[in-house]
Amino acid sequence: MSDQSVLVSGRIKQAEGYLVSDMGGDKVMMSIQSGKYFNLGQSGGAIWEHLAEPTTLEDIVGKLCEEYEIDRDTCTNQVAAFLQQLALQGLIVSAEV
């Protein structure tokens, strides 16, 4: 199964091994292993919080549409693109058993 299909139809969660902090409203992370820093920003930080427990793209979009005034299709496209970037950096993993 490809990363994209996992993101669209599977359950995902935060990868382990990252220190996370709030800095001026932005969510900033550091990889314990590599020492790399990631700034997820405010919206990315909100998505990151939803990934604390295994979830799906659809669940995240539903929650964000409730929290913010955003068109569902626009939200889905933007969240899917963001999750793809997180997956490429190894920040999220499949939560499928």
Side-chain angles (χ1 to χ4, degrees), residues 1 6 9-13 54-56 93-97:
M1 184 179 296
V6 168
S9 63
R11 296 177 62 75
I12 50 178
K13 64 179 182 176
T55 190
T56 63
V93 294
S94 171
E96 299 294 334
V97 184

Side-chain angles (χ1 to χ4, degrees), residues 6-8 10-16 18 20 27 29 40 43-61 63-64 67 78-88 90-96:
V6 168
L7 296 179
V8 173
R11 296 177 62 75
I12 50 178
K13 64 179 182 176
Q14 297 172 353
E16 295 181 8
Y18 294 91
V20 182
K27 193 74 70 182
M29 304 169 47
L40 300 180
S43 345
I47 294 169
W48 181 256
E49 291 299 318
H50 291 302
L51 291 162
E53 296 293 325
T55 190
T56 63
L57 169 64
E58 192 60 36
D59 287 343
I60 294 171
V61 169
K63 290 174 185 173
L64 292 175
E67 293 172 26
Q78 291 178 355
V79 171
F82 182 72
L83 291 176
Q84 184 65 17
Q85 290 303 309
L86 292 181
L88 289 172
L91 299 174
I92 59 174
V93 294
S94 171
E96 299 294 334

Side-chain angles (χ1 to χ4, degrees), residues 57 60-62 64-65 70-80:
L57 169 64
I60 294 171
V61 169
L64 292 175
C65 286
I70 186 168
D71 172 72
R72 188 171 202 73
D73 288 338
T74 301
C75 186
T76 300
N77 291 335
Q78 291 178 355
V79 171

